[in-house]
Amino acid sequence: MTTTTDHYQVISTEMDVRLRLKQLQVWQEDYQQQMTQLEARIDQLRHLYLTETTRAGQHRVIQQTSHLAIYRKRFQQLQIQQPLTMAFDQRVTYQVLMDHMLPQYAALTQAEKRLWLNNLIFLMTPDVRHLCDKLDALQSFQTVGQERNLLVSGASGSGKSSALHWYTLCHMPTLQAQRTYIPVIMVEPLEDDKSRKSLLEQIVLSCGDTYIGQARPLELLNQVNACFAWCQTRLLIVDELNHLTTNKQRRQLLSITNKCGGISIVGSAVYPKWFRDGDDEIAGRFLDEFPMRTYTGSALVALLAFIDLLLPFGVCSGLSQPSTGIVQFVEAKTRGRLREIMLLIRVASEQAVGDNRACLTLDHLRAAWSNIQRINLVSRSE
């Protein structure tokens, strides 16, 4: 089994910025190639739909296209196939790491700095690293017949979905001699949908199969069980668990755990308590919970110190230093939501690189936040 530690790099005094840039360039090209192939396949399915003469055939093409479209978002993380993380080491101080990185950044061209900013697409924060370790452990438990389920909680924008998408990307389907091996499957229930079938249908599509529109829930459940067996699936990730609003929909997950042996279910939700409330059996099956925190106070200071090490400037930006006012500004504007923090830092850094600035300043962050809010207002009005 591939573990998460195979898929990230620890920033240290051995970090070679030039070597990392070569990796980023390879990943960027891989992303572009995968997206080209994906769009070609979607276009191929469009032509197939137009020439298909039966309604059943058209329905199968629509199913396949709908599932492939999910990868447009997921493939974004192909640009950062080994995200950076920071391991606590008393022998290496923050300043030692900064002194190691700054001279390397100072020698970069503007184009190289822009490429380096791809490191900010996805960071292996301590929370994400611990969550991925937990998911690895869930898979290992199954080898001794001890399936366990997990709820991932956290405020909107805390990084739950991004972490789960990245973990799924690390366990992509593998074509083998007798089967397509799909160890991890990720689906998202439809919002405002009361059907017991739609979640099962998504799972079937994620296994590379199609379903009959008139199939009953029991028939779909049997098909899911067969797909899991054929694909040797071990982990089912259900994002936005609270979209399952009815008790029948929630108990559908219990049917999967009862019917499909060797499967652990991971569900993410802002309020997982809502998923467990009112059903003792569901509560008993989903005892474990992993909270994804928001970054405020000392947690935000630590995060910004880590990010500061990754900014491609020849001068330290001092993101975590009280004297710059950056910590207070970031916390006030983003309310500690990781998604907003990373977007703000990325936009501000791109502007600073474009302006050939020596470092990132509070003025850059203020201008970036204004631009982000203006874009959001235009999007809402359209």
Side-chain angles (χ1 to χ4, degrees), residues 183-199:
V184 179
I185 285 174
M186 182 173 177
V187 295
E188 180 181 330
L190 301 176
E191 194 171 7
D192 297 325
D193 176 62
K194 306 300 182 183
S195 170
R196 293 171 55 203
K197 297 167 53 176
S198 59
L199 180 64

Side-chain angles (χ1 to χ4, degrees), residues 195-250:
S195 170
R196 293 171 55 203
K197 297 167 53 176
S198 59
L199 180 64
L200 297 174
E201 290 168 349
Q202 285 192 57
I203 296 171
V204 169
L205 292 176
S206 296
C207 292
D209 202 358
T210 58
Y211 56 86
I212 300 173
Q214 294 77 27
R216 296 175 299 167
L218 179 58
E219 293 171 325
L220 285 169
L221 183 59
N222 287 333
Q223 189 175 359
V224 166
N225 190 23
C227 286
F228 283 166
W230 293 331
C231 300
Q232 294 185 324
T233 304
R234 292 183 173 181
L235 208 61
L236 171 63
I237 299 175
V238 184
D239 198 17
E240 301 295 350
L241 202 58
N242 289 143
H243 286 176
L244 301 175
T245 55
T246 71
N247 192 54
K248 286 185 177 180
Q249 287 178 317
R250 291 184 295 150

Side-chain angles (χ1 to χ4, degrees), residues 1-149:
M1 182 187 75
T2 301
T3 61
T4 306
T5 53
D6 301 319
H7 294 281
Y8 63 76
Q9 292 182 12
V10 177
I11 190 167
S12 69
T13 53
E14 297 180 359
M15 173 65 69
D16 186 327
V17 170
R18 291 286 179 189
L19 180 60
R20 176 74 178 181
L21 280 170
K22 290 180 180 179
Q23 292 176 316
L24 289 169
Q25 184 63 48
V26 170
W27 296 334
Q28 178 79 12
E29 292 170 358
D30 181 41
Y31 162 70
Q32 293 169 347
Q33 181 182 19
Q34 293 291 339
M35 287 298 293
T36 298
Q37 293 175 356
L38 176 64
E39 295 301 332
R41 177 55 180 159
I42 290 175
D43 192 53
Q44 184 183 46
L45 287 170
R46 183 179 70 86
H47 287 291
L48 184 60
Y49 174 81
L50 294 174
T51 58
E52 180 59 59
T53 57
T54 67
R55 182 57 185 163
Q58 290 179 331
H59 189 59
R60 283 194 297 272
V61 173
I62 290 173
Q63 291 174 25
Q64 294 171 331
T65 306
S66 176
H67 174 64
L68 285 178
I70 296 171
Y71 286 90
R72 284 174 169 157
K73 178 179 180 180
R74 191 171 295 172
F75 278 177
Q76 293 285 335
Q77 292 178 333
L78 285 173
Q79 300 172 88
I80 186 71
Q81 294 177 31
Q82 289 186 324
L84 294 173
T85 191
M86 187 173 177
F88 179 72
D89 187 343
Q90 291 181 331
R91 298 167 299 176
V92 181
T93 65
Y94 169 81
Q95 190 58 52
V96 169
L97 288 173
M98 185 63 77
D99 290 343
H100 174 72
M101 301 301 291
L102 289 180
Q104 298 186 73
Y105 291 149
L108 299 182
T109 65
Q110 188 178 76
E112 289 170 334
K113 289 179 179 180
R114 290 187 183 280
L115 179 60
W116 183 264
L117 288 176
N118 278 359
N119 285 307
L120 301 182
I121 292 175
F122 181 71
L123 290 183
M124 182 61 69
T125 64
D127 278 358
V128 174
R129 191 170 67 243
H130 295 153
L131 172 59
C132 291
D133 289 343
K134 185 85 171 177
L135 299 180
D136 286 344
L138 288 181
Q139 292 198 61
S140 66
F141 288 157
Q142 293 162 9
T143 61
V144 292
Q146 297 293 325
E147 300 91 355
R148 294 187 67 85
N149 303 318

